[in-house]
Amino acid sequence: MTASPAPAALTTRAQEVSSQIVEDILTLVRHETGSYDRPGLASGLDLLRELTVRRLGPPDHEERHPGGECGDTLTLTYGGTGAGHVALVGHYDTVWPTGTLAGWEQPEAGEDGREKLSGPGIFDMKTGLAQGIWALKLARESGVPLPAVTFLFNGDEEIGSLSSRPVIEEVAQKVDVTLVLEPSAHGAVKTARKGTGIFHVTATGVESHAGLAPQDGASAITALSEFVVAAAKVAAPDKGTTINTGLFKGGSAINVVAGQATAGVDIRVSSGAEQTRVDEELDAIQVSDPRVRIDIDHAWNRPPMTLNATSAPLLDLAREVAREQGRGHLPDAAVGGASDANFVAALGLPVLCGMGAVGDGAHAQGEFIYPDTVPAQTALVAGLLGRLAEPLRG
């Protein structure tokens, strides 16, 4: 592939407009879009579309896919000046409920004196959204031939991409390359992610009066507690398998032996073999009271993501662009979290994830970005777009 002209100029230009990119990031952060706030998601997507059009003009094609109880998915396609077609994928929903922003405090600078910017969803992943929009804008300004670009913004990633997954897979199969604008791993792109399961476990016991006839009851809470403890032992961290029960509820009154209890279990695996093992071992768990029935909804949400043969040349190209821009070696990383890149990788299609923010604290109070990294991250995506107007060669 031919080198894009003046990579240093692209980086310089990103630095010149850095304050505008950061302002766009903060505009998105100030509008709260918790995954379960349907009105907030709808107006947040309107804001994101307005911002995209303000920076890039009207798209050549757009489609809004209804999300039902989830946030809608919006695709905006801009025609290219060369060959090829690239998807830039990012979610606009966050884990933070509406109202969180009011009590959010800005962090102090780190020990190295670097400025931090914080806000609900700023790291995961509203910075990536703004950087992706500006990346296409800067790539256009550079004058190099560009591929067509389809932005895909979905509002349900944090709760499993249940409505958007078909759209993501359809778009990924129509384009040549997918870049996911999730936050980086401290500057590294993400080439491997764990698969995820969101299991719902229900225990059905026998209710009775806890004082008058406790022997007649079969406690769903006790049985489910036994199950949860046994399930934790199925984890195999040395194999990349973790199991966490994050939700537990049950019973109807304090003086009633519980007839019902439920638990939500988060499972992460690095391979299909571990997925099969976990299924089998969870099904084999026995509780002490045979009167209690345990039902497990084996809801595997995302398959494991690995650096497949089609993505390896894309990683090589990203590293080449980074070197041209003076960044040196661009590292890659395997991480425990999952993203929409998992779906694309499972189809055997070229994808890189973690093309967005540099910072830390995803899903934690005080998540932050380093604003001084915004120009380089934006320029990296812009430079990569400038190299994707022709086919990847493996």
Side-chain angles (χ1 to χ4, degrees):
M1 293 187 176
T2 57
S4 55
L10 187 60
T11 304
T12 299
R13 179 60 180 151
Q15 292 169 341
E16 290 172 350
V17 297
S18 178
S19 62
Q20 296 178 63
I21 304 173
V22 169
E23 185 53 41
D24 285 353
I25 292 167
L26 295 177
T27 296
L28 294 175
V29 171
R30 292 182 189 115
H31 188 103
E32 295 178 276
T33 49
S35 298
Y36 298 100
D37 179 4
R38 190 68 180 82
L41 289 166
S43 55
L45 184 54
D46 289 341
L47 174 64
L48 181 55
R49 181 195 178 279
E50 176 188 333
L51 182 62
T52 307
V53 172
R54 186 190 318 158
R55 298 305 184 192
L56 298 173
D60 295 299
H61 178 77
E62 71 177 285
E63 188 170 0
R64 189 159 178 156
H65 306 263
E69 294 301 313
C70 305
D72 293 346
T73 299
L74 179 67
T75 56
L76 304 173
T77 298
Y78 290 87
T81 54
H85 195 164
V86 175
L88 296 180
V89 175
H91 66 88
Y92 60 93
D93 66 317
T94 78
V95 298
W96 302 103
T98 300
T100 301
L101 182 61
W104 200 280
E105 296 183 0
Q106 288 300 316
E108 297 181 359
E111 294 181 359
D112 56 2
R114 292 178 72 187
E115 180 188 5
K116 297 177 180 179
L117 286 178
S118 185
I122 193 169
F123 179 62
D124 186 15
M125 58 162 286
K126 292 186 175 182
T127 291
L129 299 177
Q131 288 177 172
I133 295 166
W134 274 90
L136 179 54
K137 179 177 174 61
L138 298 183
R140 282 176 166 181
E141 289 179 2
S142 73
V144 300
L146 293 174
V149 173
T150 293
F151 290 93
L152 188 152
F153 302 129
N154 60 322
D156 62 348
E157 192 274 346
E158 296 292 6
I159 54 175
S161 299
L162 301 180
S163 71
S164 62
R165 178 177 181 174
V167 185
I168 294 165
E169 293 177 332
E170 179 182 3
V171 168
Q173 292 178 86
K174 290 180 178 178
V175 302
D176 302 300
V177 164
T178 299
L179 303 176
V180 180
L181 302 167
E182 288 275 1
S184 70
H186 304 287
V189 296
K190 298 173 180 178
T191 53
R193 287 179 170 275
K194 290 185 179 181
T196 59
I198 305 173
F199 284 23
H200 298 280
V201 184
T202 302
T204 305
V206 180
E207 289 188 340
S208 70
H209 194 292
L212 297 177
Q215 71 281 354
D216 294 340
S219 173
I221 288 178
T222 299
L224 190 57
S225 297
E226 293 174 359
F227 176 90
V228 165
V229 171
K233 295 178 181 178
V234 175
D238 58 319
K239 298 179 181 178
T241 300
T242 59
I243 298 177
N244 175 69
T245 299
L247 294 172
F248 193 112
K249 61 182 179 179
S252 58
I254 195 169
N255 61 348
V256 177
V257 175
Q260 192 88 359
T262 60
V265 184
D266 177 285
I267 303 173
R268 309 284 170 134
V269 296
S270 296
S271 69
E274 274 298 280
Q275 181 174 317
T276 299
R277 182 187 69 82
V278 168
D279 279 332
E280 293 174 348
E281 294 194 18
L282 291 186
D283 283 338
I285 292 174
Q286 299 290 321
V287 296
S288 60
D289 194 329
R291 295 175 294 170
V292 180
R293 186 180 77 249
I294 301 291
D295 296 304
I296 308 172
D297 176 15
H298 293 255
W300 289 104
N301 177 246
R302 289 183 173 90
M305 171 186 170
T306 59
L307 181 63
N308 59 38
T310 63
S311 296
L314 182 58
L315 175 60
D316 291 341
L317 182 60
R319 285 176 167 162
E320 189 175 327
V321 171
R323 286 193 298 269
E324 290 175 356
Q325 294 181 350
R327 290 182 56 154
H329 178 71
L330 178 67
D332 69 308
V335 296
S339 81
D340 291 328
N342 290 58
F343 300 134
V344 182
L347 296 172
L349 300 171
V351 59
L352 283 184
C353 193
M355 304 300 295
V358 178
D360 209 348
H363 298 193
Q365 187 73 236
E367 66 173 284
F368 70 91
I369 66 164
Y370 292 110
D372 62 358
T373 65
V374 166
Q377 290 297 101
T378 305
L380 175 63
V381 177
L384 196 49
L385 290 177
R387 301 292 296 277
L388 287 169
E390 50 185 283
L392 281 172
R393 295 185 178 90

